[in-house]
Every structure is written in structure tokens, then in C-alpha cells.
Amino acid sequence: VTIIDSPVTALSSDGSDLAFLYIKNTGDTYNALVALDGGTNYYIVIPPNGSVHLRGDGAQLLCNEVRVKASNSAGTTIEYIIAQE
């Protein structure tokens, strides 16, 4: 479990192509917001106890471009798996 209580959390510093991503918001109150572009656009919203998974395309999405933040400054917690190409 990773605590998301800072403004933005990078899930990986690895610059490899992303093959698979799974994130579960294990928090009970606030949404987890996910950006796949290094932290500019948070288009993915994971509600409390919700999850998301996706496959990378093997060329455009890098592991180190995934960023997560909580919808409230009180934070939330997540579990995640990142697999590289």
C-alpha cells in the first residue's frame, strides 16, 4: 500500500515502455487521480475502493510518465503494479 499525501506521486522512475498498469484506490473517502503524461492531465479518476488497469502500446507510454494524486489534501492510499515492456 502506498500513501498518496503529497501533491503528486510518480509511481516509477524507470523510463522503459509501459506494458501493463494496475492501480487500486484502497482509501475510503477520496478519489485517486491518474495522469499518463507526466502529470499534466488527470483524466482517470479512481473512486474509493475502485481500480483501473490498462495495457501500454509498447512505444508511446513510459513507466515514469504515470503520476497519481488524491482529490483532497487529506490524501488516499493505493496499491499498484507496473510492468515494463
Side-chain angles (χ1 to χ4, degrees), residues 22-69:
Y22 169 82
I23 303 173
K24 179 178 181 180
N25 182 354
T26 56
D28 293 327
T29 308
Y30 300 111
N31 294 332
L33 310 175
V34 181
L36 301 177
D37 60 0
T40 303
N41 299 297
Y42 290 84
Y43 292 132
I44 301 172
V45 178
I46 308 171
N49 297 306
S51 64
V52 64
H53 70 274
L54 56 95
R55 288 181 38 194
D57 64 358
Q60 299 298 315
L61 180 57
L62 304 179
C63 294
N64 64 358
E65 293 177 322
V66 179
R67 301 286 191 275
V68 179
K69 66 180 182 179

